Amino acid sequence: MATATESQQVQATDAAVAPPVGRKVVDEVSGWLRVLDDGTVDRTWTGPPEALPLMKPVPAYAEPRDGHTLHDLPGKPNLRVYLPEVVADGRLPVIVQLHGGGFCISHPSWLMYHHFYARLACALPAVVVTVELPLAPERRLPAHIDTGLDALRRLRSIAQSDAGALNDPAAELLRTAADFSRVFLIGDSSGGNLVHLIGARVGEDGAGNWAPLRVAGGIPLHPGFVRATRSKSELEARPDSVFFTLGMLDKFLAMALPEGATKDHPYTCPMGPNAPPLESVPLPPMLVAVAEHDLIRDTNLEYCDALRTAGKDVEVLVNRGMSHSFYLNKYAVDMDPATGERTQELVDAIKSFVARH
């Protein structure tokens, strides 16, 4: 996984490409993707060119940079591993990242994810494993859930391997550095939905079926939980954003949910009447981050309230003055003091949560 797959790599170009001769655009998410009448998907970026650097893939590197190394583990699924250079007493917890993008776009090698998860690996410290997820509409849900579970199975297999039995040096480094009994699922935006859904599936299977791997906690960051009816925060007037609009939300979920499903589906509304009662869902302890100015702030808070009512172990961090996935915008984090401060608060909260579980 040294670079993004072909369909994902094409997203990071600023050339406005016309559909192939004889093909028509039948659906579109402005700036991000176009579905053609032959079923293929063009993810050429056609939005503002200043957003392109955040989508640039970052190659792996075995020589330390900024206190860590970065390794690719090709396979099913492809994984990417951040290993901090630390002298630790014992092994490091494992953070498994499930990227966002409305289930339809993005890749874990992009700079927007890299800058935050490299920082997180060093700050905790922890081994961070990012997962290359399938993309809708070519592969609709539950494909993303299945891939996340496959990633955990792959980690379990590495944990069960004997010294020297792994053919990949990066996998051997992971085996010796990681405490697989302290795995934390973390997800950005739609990846936050996967934290809940995958965490529940692991809980349903029972600890014995996953040993020696154990999911010790879940960290949904601005999860994509919504309802079919608009919430108050969705209807509030907000500045235009190339990264998150109501139009994007509606289109991406229409492409990603099972055919015929509405946003009240359990994948996007686990606190709704169509989902299993949360009291019956075996979830790990949760830290949920909610952005104060997020379009879907209200349904995120509703999810948190529903977890509390169901007796779940949940902590909530509200990112004051911030919008959806603000911490992924490296340039705002570096140059805007408020964004930088809120990002540090987020890192500190994750560090505290991991340390206590």
Side-chain angles (χ1 to χ4, degrees):
M1 200 182 70
T3 58
T5 59
E6 183 178 353
S7 66
Q8 293 165 318
Q9 181 88 319
V10 74
Q11 298 169 6
T13 174
D14 57 357
V17 180
V21 175
R23 296 285 179 253
K24 295 181 180 179
V25 175
V26 295
D27 206 354
E28 183 174 12
V29 180
S30 180
W32 290 102
L33 63 79
R34 298 179 296 174
V35 180
L36 306 181
D37 58 0
D38 64 351
T40 59
V41 180
D42 175 14
R43 291 186 173 84
T44 303
W45 173 248
T46 58
E50 57 267 25
L52 270 173
L54 290 171
M55 305 173 212
K56 183 177 180 180
V58 177
Y61 41 86
E63 292 298 319
R65 296 183 191 173
D66 301 320
H68 68 278
T69 54
L70 177 58
H71 310 268
D72 285 329
L73 283 178
K76 293 184 178 180
N78 292 326
L79 304 177
R80 169 164 277 210
V81 181
Y82 294 85
L83 289 174
E85 283 196 307
V86 294
V87 178
D89 295 329
R91 296 176 178 236
L92 297 173
V94 181
I95 309 295
V96 176
Q97 185 240 357
L98 304 158
H99 67 77
F103 306 111
C104 294
I105 58 169
S106 88
H107 190 273
S109 67
W110 284 6
L111 177 65
M112 67 169 69
Y113 298 115
H114 170 79
H115 88 94
F116 183 75
Y117 285 100
R119 173 178 178 172
L120 199 63
C122 296
L124 296 189
V127 176
V128 173
V129 178
T130 69
V131 182
E132 183 180 316
L133 297 170
L135 300 179
E138 300 95 323
R139 296 184 64 193
R140 289 175 176 261
L141 288 160
H144 309 66
I145 302 167
D146 295 338
T147 299
L149 289 166
D150 285 343
L152 293 182
R153 293 186 185 101
R154 195 169 178 209
L155 293 179
R156 180 183 60 186
S157 177
I158 290 172
Q160 292 171 330
S161 298
D162 295 327
L166 296 166
N167 295 324
D168 190 320
E172 182 63 24
L173 286 171
L174 173 60
R175 187 191 69 81
T176 57
D179 179 357
F180 293 97
S181 71
R182 294 182 65 216
V183 172
F184 296 82
L185 306 177
I186 190 168
D188 318 277
S189 190
S190 58
N193 300 44
L194 299 177
V195 170
H196 174 96
L197 296 164
I198 293 168
R201 285 280 297 275
V202 171
E204 290 165 3
D205 289 344
N209 288 317
W210 284 95
L213 183 145
R214 180 177 72 95
V215 173
I219 310 172
L221 304 178
H222 311 165
F225 295 138
V226 292
R227 286 184 177 272
T229 54
R230 297 285 193 215
S231 65
K232 181 180 176 181
S233 60
E234 288 176 79
L235 296 173
E236 292 173 355
R238 299 182 188 279
D240 287 341
S241 168
V242 298
F243 290 108
F244 194 51
T245 66
L246 285 180
M248 288 172 59
L249 175 67
D250 294 344
K251 287 271 190 163
F252 282 154
L253 295 186
M255 292 178 181
L257 287 168
E259 294 277 3
T262 73
K263 287 185 286 186
D264 287 328
H265 192 282
Y267 293 159
T268 44
C269 192
M271 63 286 190
N274 296 333
L278 283 171
E279 291 84 356
S280 69
V281 179
L283 292 170
M286 303 284 268
L287 168 65
V288 185
V290 180
E292 184 181 21
H293 292 166
D294 198 334
L295 287 171
I296 52 176
R297 175 198 64 217
D298 289 352
T299 38
N300 276 197
L301 291 174
E302 182 189 352
Y303 169 74
C304 297
D305 289 342
L307 289 181
R308 289 195 192 98
T309 300
K312 302 303 180 183
D313 183 349
V314 57
E315 302 172 32
V316 181
L317 173 68
V318 176
N319 309 122
R320 299 296 178 189
M322 295 292 110
S323 299
H324 192 79
S325 297
F326 69 94
Y327 58 93
L328 296 181
N329 186 341
K330 172 176 167 49
Y331 304 108
V333 171
D334 290 347
M335 295 185 287
D336 176 62
T339 304
E341 184 177 342
R342 295 290 92 77
T343 301
Q344 186 60 52
E345 287 177 0
L346 177 60
V347 170
D348 291 344
I350 295 170
K351 181 175 182 177
S352 173
F353 179 78
V354 169
R356 289 181 281 111
H357 297 86

